[in-house]
Amino acid sequence: MSPRLKKRVALVTGASSGIGEATAIALAEAGAKVAIAARRRDRLDEIAGRLRALGAEPLVLPADLLDEREAQRIVAQTEVHYGRLDILVNNAGVMYLEPVAEADLGRWRRMLELNVLSLIASTQAALRGMRERGGGDIVNIASTAGRIANPMGAAYSATKFGVVAFSEALRREVYQDGVRVSVVEPGVVETELRDHIGHTQVKDALNAWAGGMRQLQPDDVAETILFCVTRPPHVSINEVLMRPTDQER
Protein backbone atom coordinates (compact mmCIF):
# COMPACT_ATOMS: atom_id res chain seq x y z
CA MET A 1 0.00 0.00 0.00
CA SER A 2 1.10 3.57 -0.66
CA PRO A 3 1.72 5.68 2.47
CA ARG A 4 0.14 8.84 1.07
CA LEU A 5 -2.87 8.62 3.39
CA LYS A 6 -1.23 6.82 6.30
CA LYS A 7 -2.86 7.74 9.64
CA ARG A 8 -5.83 9.32 7.86
CA VAL A 9 -9.36 8.03 8.34
CA ALA A 10 -11.98 8.04 5.59
CA LEU A 11 -15.72 7.37 5.48
CA VAL A 12 -17.30 6.48 2.13
CA THR A 13 -21.08 6.38 1.73
CA GLY A 14 -22.77 4.32 -0.96
CA ALA A 15 -19.78 2.01 -0.69
CA SER A 16 -21.48 -1.26 -1.63
CA SER A 17 -20.87 -0.90 -5.38
CA GLY A 18 -19.70 1.36 -8.19
CA ILE A 19 -17.91 4.59 -7.38
CA GLY A 20 -18.18 4.08 -3.63
CA GLU A 21 -16.65 0.61 -3.73
CA ALA A 22 -13.83 1.74 -6.03
CA THR A 23 -13.14 4.78 -3.85
CA ALA A 24 -12.95 2.73 -0.65
CA ILE A 25 -10.39 0.45 -2.29
CA ALA A 26 -8.37 3.37 -3.70
CA LEU A 27 -8.22 5.10 -0.32
CA ALA A 28 -7.21 1.88 1.42
CA GLU A 29 -4.49 1.27 -1.16
CA ALA A 30 -3.20 4.76 -0.35
CA GLY A 31 -2.89 3.80 3.33
CA ALA A 32 -6.11 5.19 4.83
CA LYS A 33 -8.28 3.48 7.40
CA VAL A 34 -11.67 3.23 5.74
CA ALA A 35 -15.23 3.07 7.05
CA ILE A 36 -17.77 1.90 4.48
CA ALA A 37 -21.49 2.67 4.68
CA ALA A 38 -24.45 1.45 2.62
CA ARG A 39 -27.71 -0.48 2.98
CA ARG A 40 -26.47 -3.88 1.75
CA ARG A 41 -24.62 -5.57 4.61
CA ASP A 42 -23.62 -8.59 2.51
CA ARG A 43 -21.90 -6.40 -0.08
CA LEU A 44 -20.17 -4.34 2.61
CA ASP A 45 -18.83 -7.51 4.24
CA GLU A 46 -17.49 -8.69 0.88
CA ILE A 47 -15.75 -5.37 0.24
CA ALA A 48 -14.40 -5.30 3.80
CA GLY A 49 -12.71 -8.63 3.08
CA ARG A 50 -11.00 -7.11 0.06
CA LEU A 51 -9.87 -4.14 2.14
CA ARG A 52 -8.42 -6.42 4.83
CA ALA A 53 -6.47 -8.23 2.12
CA LEU A 54 -4.86 -4.87 1.36
CA GLY A 55 -3.85 -4.51 5.01
CA ALA A 56 -6.58 -1.99 5.79
CA GLU A 57 -8.73 -1.89 8.93
CA PRO A 58 -12.27 -1.44 7.58
CA LEU A 59 -15.28 -0.47 9.66
CA VAL A 60 -18.55 -1.81 8.25
CA LEU A 61 -21.53 0.51 8.78
CA PRO A 62 -24.85 -0.78 7.44
CA ALA A 63 -27.15 2.23 7.23
CA ASP A 64 -30.22 3.55 5.47
CA LEU A 65 -29.12 7.08 4.71
CA LEU A 66 -32.63 8.20 3.85
CA ASP A 67 -32.80 8.78 7.62
CA GLU A 68 -30.71 11.84 8.48
CA ARG A 69 -30.05 10.36 11.91
CA GLU A 70 -28.36 7.42 10.21
CA ALA A 71 -26.23 9.81 8.16
CA GLN A 72 -25.11 11.45 11.39
CA ARG A 73 -24.66 8.13 13.21
CA ILE A 74 -22.17 6.72 10.75
CA VAL A 75 -19.96 9.78 11.19
CA ALA A 76 -20.12 9.48 14.97
CA GLN A 77 -19.35 5.76 14.87
CA THR A 78 -16.36 6.33 12.60
CA GLU A 79 -14.97 8.93 14.98
CA VAL A 80 -15.51 6.70 18.01
CA HIS A 81 -13.95 3.66 16.33
CA TYR A 82 -10.89 5.36 14.85
CA GLY A 83 -10.67 8.46 17.04
CA ARG A 84 -11.04 10.87 14.13
CA LEU A 85 -12.44 11.42 10.64
CA ASP A 86 -10.26 13.12 8.03
CA ILE A 87 -11.98 12.35 4.73
CA LEU A 88 -15.72 12.18 4.08
CA VAL A 89 -16.82 11.01 0.63
CA ASN A 90 -20.55 11.65 0.16
CA ASN A 91 -21.31 9.26 -2.67
CA ALA A 92 -24.67 7.68 -1.76
CA GLY A 93 -27.42 8.54 -4.19
CA VAL A 94 -30.08 7.36 -6.61
CA MET A 95 -31.22 8.46 -10.06
CA TYR A 96 -34.92 8.45 -10.92
CA LEU A 97 -35.65 9.76 -14.40
CA GLU A 98 -39.16 10.30 -15.76
CA PRO A 99 -41.31 13.07 -17.27
CA VAL A 100 -42.44 15.72 -14.82
CA ALA A 101 -46.10 15.17 -15.78
CA GLU A 102 -45.87 11.49 -14.82
CA ALA A 103 -43.54 11.81 -11.84
CA ASP A 104 -43.93 9.70 -8.74
CA LEU A 105 -43.48 12.45 -6.15
CA GLY A 106 -42.86 9.96 -3.37
CA ARG A 107 -39.93 8.56 -5.33
CA TRP A 108 -38.65 12.04 -6.11
CA ARG A 109 -38.92 12.97 -2.43
CA ARG A 110 -36.73 10.00 -1.50
CA MET A 111 -34.20 11.05 -4.14
CA LEU A 112 -34.05 14.60 -2.78
CA GLU A 113 -33.65 13.30 0.76
CA LEU A 114 -30.86 10.86 -0.13
CA ASN A 115 -28.98 12.88 -2.75
CA VAL A 116 -29.10 16.20 -0.89
CA LEU A 117 -30.34 16.14 2.70
CA SER A 118 -28.41 13.01 3.69
CA LEU A 119 -25.25 14.51 2.22
CA ILE A 120 -25.83 17.69 4.22
CA ALA A 121 -26.51 15.73 7.42
CA SER A 122 -23.31 13.68 7.20
CA THR A 123 -21.31 16.79 6.32
CA GLN A 124 -22.73 18.69 9.27
CA ALA A 125 -21.84 15.82 11.59
CA ALA A 126 -18.25 15.70 10.30
CA LEU A 127 -17.52 19.42 10.47
CA ARG A 128 -17.10 19.80 14.21
CA GLY A 129 -14.27 17.30 14.47
CA MET A 130 -12.57 18.53 11.32
CA ARG A 131 -12.64 22.10 12.52
CA GLU A 132 -11.29 21.14 15.93
CA ARG A 133 -8.41 19.25 14.30
CA GLY A 134 -7.74 22.11 11.88
CA GLY A 135 -8.43 20.29 8.64
CA GLY A 136 -10.17 17.62 6.64
CA ASP A 137 -11.54 16.77 3.22
CA ILE A 138 -15.18 16.62 2.18
CA VAL A 139 -15.78 15.22 -1.29
CA ASN A 140 -19.31 15.39 -2.70
CA ILE A 141 -20.27 13.40 -5.77
CA ALA A 142 -22.50 15.33 -8.15
CA SER A 143 -22.91 14.78 -11.91
CA THR A 144 -22.83 16.48 -15.28
CA ALA A 145 -26.59 16.61 -14.61
CA GLY A 146 -25.68 19.27 -12.07
CA ARG A 147 -24.44 21.41 -14.95
CA ILE A 148 -26.87 20.60 -17.77
CA ALA A 149 -30.55 19.85 -17.15
CA ASN A 150 -32.05 17.42 -19.64
CA PRO A 151 -35.64 16.32 -20.29
CA MET A 152 -36.73 13.42 -18.06
CA GLY A 153 -34.09 14.40 -15.49
CA ALA A 154 -35.68 17.44 -13.86
CA ALA A 155 -35.62 16.23 -10.26
CA TYR A 156 -32.30 14.40 -10.57
CA SER A 157 -30.70 17.54 -11.99
CA ALA A 158 -32.28 19.56 -9.19
CA THR A 159 -30.52 17.35 -6.66
CA LYS A 160 -27.17 17.55 -8.41
CA PHE A 161 -27.35 21.31 -9.04
CA GLY A 162 -28.09 21.47 -5.31
CA VAL A 163 -25.00 19.44 -4.43
CA VAL A 164 -22.80 21.72 -6.53
CA ALA A 165 -24.25 24.87 -4.93
CA PHE A 166 -24.07 23.42 -1.43
CA SER A 167 -20.43 22.43 -1.94
CA GLU A 168 -19.36 25.90 -3.05
CA ALA A 169 -21.23 27.64 -0.23
CA LEU A 170 -19.74 25.18 2.28
CA ARG A 171 -16.24 25.74 0.92
CA ARG A 172 -16.56 29.45 1.56
CA GLU A 173 -17.76 28.79 5.11
CA VAL A 174 -14.97 26.43 6.15
CA TYR A 175 -11.85 27.23 4.12
CA GLN A 176 -10.38 29.28 6.97
CA ASP A 177 -10.66 26.19 9.19
CA GLY A 178 -8.41 24.21 6.87
CA VAL A 179 -11.31 22.09 5.64
CA ARG A 180 -11.21 21.44 1.90
CA VAL A 181 -14.39 20.86 -0.09
CA SER A 182 -14.35 19.17 -3.49
CA VAL A 183 -17.27 18.37 -5.77
CA VAL A 184 -16.72 15.74 -8.46
CA GLU A 185 -19.16 15.75 -11.40
CA PRO A 186 -18.87 12.63 -13.56
CA GLY A 187 -20.68 12.06 -16.80
CA VAL A 188 -21.77 8.57 -17.83
CA VAL A 189 -20.27 5.95 -15.52
CA GLU A 190 -20.79 2.21 -15.91
CA THR A 191 -22.46 1.44 -12.57
CA GLU A 192 -25.75 0.18 -11.12
CA LEU A 193 -27.14 3.72 -10.97
CA ARG A 194 -29.25 3.36 -14.10
CA ASP A 195 -30.93 0.29 -12.60
CA HIS A 196 -32.88 2.64 -10.31
CA ILE A 197 -34.86 4.13 -13.19
CA GLY A 198 -38.46 2.95 -13.02
CA HIS A 199 -39.68 4.44 -16.31
CA THR A 200 -38.97 1.70 -18.86
CA GLN A 201 -38.79 3.87 -21.97
CA VAL A 202 -36.46 6.40 -20.35
CA LYS A 203 -34.27 3.62 -18.96
CA ASP A 204 -34.00 1.86 -22.31
CA ALA A 205 -33.17 5.09 -24.13
CA LEU A 206 -30.49 6.04 -21.61
CA ASN A 207 -28.92 2.58 -21.68
CA ALA A 208 -28.85 2.66 -25.49
CA TRP A 209 -27.18 6.10 -25.43
CA ALA A 210 -24.64 5.06 -22.81
CA GLY A 211 -23.96 1.78 -24.60
CA GLY A 212 -22.78 3.69 -27.64
CA MET A 213 -19.80 5.22 -25.84
CA ARG A 214 -16.72 4.21 -23.90
CA GLN A 215 -18.14 4.91 -20.45
CA LEU A 216 -16.21 6.09 -17.44
CA GLN A 217 -15.41 3.29 -15.01
CA PRO A 218 -15.77 3.57 -11.22
CA ASP A 219 -11.97 3.42 -10.91
CA ASP A 220 -11.68 6.54 -13.08
CA VAL A 221 -13.78 8.52 -10.62
CA ALA A 222 -12.05 6.96 -7.61
CA GLU A 223 -8.67 8.08 -8.96
CA THR A 224 -10.02 11.61 -9.26
CA ILE A 225 -11.26 11.56 -5.67
CA LEU A 226 -7.89 10.24 -4.52
CA PHE A 227 -6.17 13.07 -6.40
CA CYS A 228 -8.33 15.64 -4.57
CA VAL A 229 -7.57 14.34 -1.09
CA THR A 230 -3.83 13.81 -1.61
CA ARG A 231 -2.94 17.37 -2.62
CA PRO A 232 -0.59 19.34 -0.34
CA PRO A 233 -2.44 21.20 2.44
CA HIS A 234 -2.21 24.53 0.59
CA VAL A 235 -3.96 23.12 -2.53
CA SER A 236 -7.72 22.69 -2.67
CA ILE A 237 -9.33 21.09 -5.72
CA ASN A 238 -12.79 22.64 -5.57
CA GLU A 239 -14.51 21.19 -8.61
CA VAL A 240 -13.82 18.45 -11.16
CA LEU A 241 -16.08 18.01 -14.20
CA MET A 242 -15.30 14.79 -16.05
CA ARG A 243 -16.92 13.00 -18.98
CA PRO A 244 -16.20 10.05 -21.21
CA THR A 245 -14.35 11.31 -24.26
CA ASP A 246 -17.32 10.11 -26.32
CA GLN A 247 -19.95 12.08 -24.34
CA GLU A 248 -21.04 15.33 -25.97
CA ARG A 249 -23.49 16.78 -23.44
Side-chain angles (χ1 to χ4, degrees):
M1 293 198 309
S2 163
R4 285 185 290 173
L5 294 177
K6 187 177 180 181
K7 298 183 179 180
R8 296 188 74 187
V9 173
L11 168 60
V12 182
T13 71
S16 60
S17 65
I19 293 170
E21 177 182 358
T23 299
I25 292 168
L27 294 174
E29 287 176 337
K33 298 175 181 178
V34 183
I36 50 177
R39 287 184 297 110
R40 294 180 288 181
R41 176 66 190 249
D42 58 334
R43 287 288 296 137
L44 291 178
D45 286 339
E46 180 184 333
I47 294 161
R50 295 172 63 189
L51 296 178
R52 291 188 190 98
L54 294 170
E57 304 170 31
L59 173 63
V60 173
L61 296 169
D64 184 351
L65 299 181
L66 276 172
D67 184 340
E68 66 184 52
R69 294 168 297 183
E70 289 284 276
Q72 294 166 339
R73 175 184 64 81
I74 60 173
V75 171
Q77 282 191 242
T78 301
E79 292 179 329
V80 167
H81 184 81
Y82 293 119
R84 59 189 297 123
L85 174 59
D86 304 294
I87 301 167
L88 173 63
V89 181
N90 285 310
N91 168 70
V94 291
M95 180 172 67
Y96 300 136
L97 306 181
E98 55 202 340
V100 172
E102 301 173 23
D104 180 328
L105 294 184
R107 187 160 54 209
W108 281 17
R109 182 176 294 106
R110 291 192 297 275
M111 181 166 60
L112 285 160
E113 289 173 350
L114 181 58
N115 291 10
V116 182
L117 294 178
S118 172
L119 177 150
I120 293 172
S122 59
T123 298
Q124 186 181 54
L127 281 179
R128 180 176 178 180
M130 288 183 177
R131 281 174 150 168
E132 287 176 351
R133 288 185 294 273
D137 281 283
I138 296 170
V139 182
N140 296 325
I141 307 305
S143 167
T144 52
R147 289 289 195 94
I148 299 173
N150 293 305
M152 313 301 171
Y156 181 65
S157 280
T159 69
K160 294 306 183 179
F161 270 83
V163 169
V164 172
F166 171 77
S167 300
E168 174 59 10
L170 175 66
R171 181 193 68 80
R172 295 180 64 186
E173 289 184 21
V174 301
Y175 77 95
Q176 291 182 320
D177 302 305
V179 178
R180 303 188 296 193
V181 180
S182 304
V183 59
V184 177
E185 301 153 86
V188 178
V189 186
E190 192 170 13
T191 71
E192 297 176 0
L193 190 64
R194 294 192 295 273
D195 294 344
H196 300 150
I197 302 170
H199 193 288
T200 302
Q201 290 177 311
V202 174
K203 183 177 181 178
D204 290 347
L206 183 59
N207 280 331
W209 175 64
M213 67 180 76
R214 295 167 294 173
Q215 301 172 54
L216 295 176
Q217 298 301 305
D219 287 346
D220 298 323
V221 185
E223 288 176 9
T224 301
I225 294 167
L226 183 62
F227 176 81
C228 292
V229 302
T230 54
R231 296 309 87 206
H234 70 287
V235 178
S236 178
I237 306 298
N238 305 139
E239 190 171 10
V240 179
L241 178 66
M242 57 189 298
R243 291 182 175 89
T245 303
D246 302 333
Q247 181 178 341
E248 183 271 330
R249 66 175 191 272

